[in-house]
Amino acid sequence: MIDLIQNIVNFILSTGIYGVVLSCFIILIESIFPIIPVLVFTSINFMLLGNILGFLVSWIFTILGCLLSYFIFRNGFGNYFERLTQNKEKIKQYTKLFRHISTDKLFLIVAFPFTPAFIVNIVAGLVKMDVKKFLIAIIFGKISLVIYSAYIGLSFVESIHNPVILLKVAIVILLVYIAYIIFKKVFKLNI
């Protein structure tokens, strides 16, 4: 698997600007079907575009991918999911619990780099979570994922074993959380 990822990375890097387009497309698709970790493709964007532009492009396409996944499952499968689970009280309980999760908790789930984002997107769509709540949590939560991706690059396994990297990730999440709280207060969002 590592050889496959390395071959894909080498191919994308060799294609220049087309590699960025391909990388962005894969980021969109990865939000629905987690083929290869999104960390790989956000790292490629940083390598090809630099820190600021690489961050912006990766962040925007990660958000777009999450929204695409959310709407596909909300509009395509949401009603079917409701019919399928209408007589199952335990599932209805969990559905209600996740649908009404606070934006703060959803932000923390999304911001943690090891959370499988595609599952959050799919479940949020299936339970028909409020789109405003989902969007705000994704916009702020994905900042830490993209920064984490750029920071560790392709050395994902190394970051798990290095407490300094994990501490830096925790600090980034904390700073983004503070910015998120300030944003909520400034715009008087109560979701």
Side-chain angles (χ1 to χ4, degrees):
M1 180 69 170
I2 293 175
D3 289 338
L4 173 66
I5 292 173
Q6 190 60 48
N7 289 338
I8 292 171
V9 169
N10 290 338
F11 171 74
I12 291 174
L13 289 174
S14 70
T15 60
I17 194 66
Y18 298 112
V20 173
V21 173
L22 180 60
S23 180
C24 291
F25 176 73
I26 293 172
I27 289 172
L28 281 173
I29 298 303
E30 190 278 335
S31 297
I32 304 166
F33 306 109
I35 305 161
I36 296 174
V38 73
L39 302 173
V40 172
F41 299 102
T42 54
S43 297
I44 289 170
N45 286 343
F46 274 82
M47 286 187 254
L48 291 172
L49 298 172
N51 290 341
I52 295 172
L53 192 56
F55 168 78
L56 287 174
V57 167
S58 297
W59 181 57
I60 289 168
F61 276 89
T62 301
I63 292 168
L64 291 175
C66 290
L67 285 173
L68 178 66
S69 176
Y70 169 83
F71 283 115
I72 285 172
F73 284 93
R74 180 183 174 116
N75 298 329
F77 301 100
N79 291 335
Y80 176 73
F81 179 75
E82 283 179 356
R83 283 192 308 273
L84 191 65
T85 61
Q86 69 186 0
N87 296 328
K88 298 183 172 73
E89 286 304 315
K90 202 69 161 166
I91 293 175
K92 284 172 73 172
Q93 263 183 324
Y94 290 123
T95 299
K96 185 177 179 182
L97 182 69
F98 193 76
R99 181 184 300 135
H100 298 294
I101 192 172
S102 72
T103 311
D104 296 352
K105 289 177 185 169
L106 183 61
F107 162 82
L108 291 172
I109 291 169
V110 170
F112 190 67
F114 304 109
T115 300
F118 75 98
I119 292 176
V120 175
N121 303 337
I122 291 169
V123 172
L126 288 176
V127 303
K128 297 184 176 181
M129 180 182 286
D130 178 53
V131 69
K132 186 176 175 183
K133 178 193 306 185
F134 180 74
L135 182 61
I136 290 171
I138 293 297
I139 286 173
F140 283 94
K142 291 300 177 180
I143 291 172
S144 63
L145 172 77
V146 174
I147 290 172
Y148 174 74
S149 301
Y151 183 73
I152 68 156
L154 301 175
S155 59
F156 176 72
V157 175
E158 178 187 321
S159 72
I160 295 172
H161 299 295
N162 188 342
V164 174
I165 293 174
L166 294 176
L167 179 64
K168 289 179 181 180
V169 169
I171 291 169
V172 167
I173 291 173
L174 179 64
L175 292 174
V176 173
Y177 185 72
I178 291 169
Y180 159 77
I181 295 297
I182 292 169
F183 177 84
K184 274 182 56 176
K185 287 187 191 244
V186 167
F187 290 100
K188 296 177 177 66
L189 296 175
N190 210 7
I191 48 176

